[in-house]
Amino acid sequence: MKLSVVVPCYNEEGNVPLFYQATVDALGELMRDTELIFINDGSKDGTLAALTNVVDKSPYDVKVINFSRNFGKEAALLAGLRKSAGEYTVIIDADMQQRPEYIVDMYKILEEQPEYDVVAAYQGARKEGKVLSFLKNTFYKVINALTDVEFVQSASDFRMFRRVVVDAMLSLTERCRFTKGIFAWVGFNTYYMPYKVEARATGKSNWNFFKLLKYAMDGIMAFSVKPLLIVSVLGIILFLTSIICTIYVVIKTLIFGDPVAGFPTLACLILMLSGIQLLSIGILGQYLAKNYTETKARPLYVVKNILGSEEKHEE
Ligand code: UDP
Ligand code: MG
């Protein structure tokens, strides 16, 4: 098997047939040596029916991993990577924002340039709001400052890997999987290939602001413990400041007497300090929560069944 194509699908009934046809057209002869692995991530629409239809009609090697419910894209990717057997594995969205034609370009790069192990597509100009791009810029600055691995901005998770990279990624057993971080963490020589993000063919994106914020926080916490260090240092600084203040107040009272004043200052200080305390406890709690998830060691997804030619014979 030369190539595995891993496609996470959540409510993509309209896109599945388009995606399949576009991939077959783009890959041409290469399709004979390719396996398509779709993951139906608990879709609530007709995605499963569309995928079953593809499996039934396709002359090629198509498999569908059918989850018991929605477990999220990260879990879907993990299931797909575990199943993949190709010499090269590519991850691509089902929504046609990433054109399957690029798979051929990625394939050529890995074939012709042995020094590269990963091809990552990155977006050139992307049409998005000023606020969103500001938030994204900030996120990358923060995460790069806080972690030891390098996160490349606007590099998508549309990527092709050699086998050794896939094996390396699968060797990370953590539950809180932040794929972008895992790509960066495993290292390897990465070729950055510019590409154009298309509009979604049908359906709508599953992201909203709060999901993005949670994703960003998960990412930072999965790859850095520096926030804990920062709050500790903040605690030390505040403690030292309070000693200096106390000495100042005592001396001032001894010399000038004690006129009652400074209630607003007091109120502000209490607010500020309790705010910082709550923030610190919050950060601590987040790490504890992650630890809780890791120790429970639940599987990241549950597979209901697998459709596809090979499995029919195996089981
Ligand atoms: N996806 C998934 N599970 C989810 C959410 C999304 O498998 O819970 C899939 C989705 O079907 C698509 C890909 O992940 O193929 C990217 O999702 P989306 O288009 O919503 O994200 P965006 O392109 O906006 O980053
Ligand atoms: Mg999309």
Side-chain angles (χ1 to χ4, degrees), residues 178-228:
F178 181 67
T179 315
K180 277 201 165 67
I182 292 176
F183 295 152
W185 189 89
V186 293
F188 293 103
N189 259 350
T190 305
Y191 184 103
Y192 290 97
M193 183 187 94
Y195 87 117
K196 190 167 161 282
V197 185
E198 309 290 331
R200 251 174 172 278
T202 73
K204 60 177 200 299
S205 171
N206 300 299
W207 288 104
N208 60 41
F209 176 75
F210 291 104
K211 275 193 181 172
L212 273 178
L213 188 68
K214 183 176 177 298
Y215 182 73
M217 296 212 332
D218 281 350
I220 291 173
M221 298 213 164
F223 281 86
S224 170
V225 289
K226 280 197 191 135
L228 291 173

Side-chain angles (χ1 to χ4, degrees), residues 8-10 12 41 70 72-73 93-95 97 200 205-207:
C9 306
Y10 177 60
E12 307 280 8
D41 186 11
N70 178 251
K73 186 178 172 185
D93 288 352
D95 57 13
Q97 286 189 281
R200 251 174 172 278
S205 171
N206 300 299
W207 288 104

Side-chain angles (χ1 to χ4, degrees), residues 15 61 69 87-88 93 120 162 206 230 259:
N15 294 324
D61 185 351
R69 64 168 172 86
E87 193 182 319
Y88 304 146
D93 288 352
R162 284 186 203 279
N206 300 299
I230 294 173

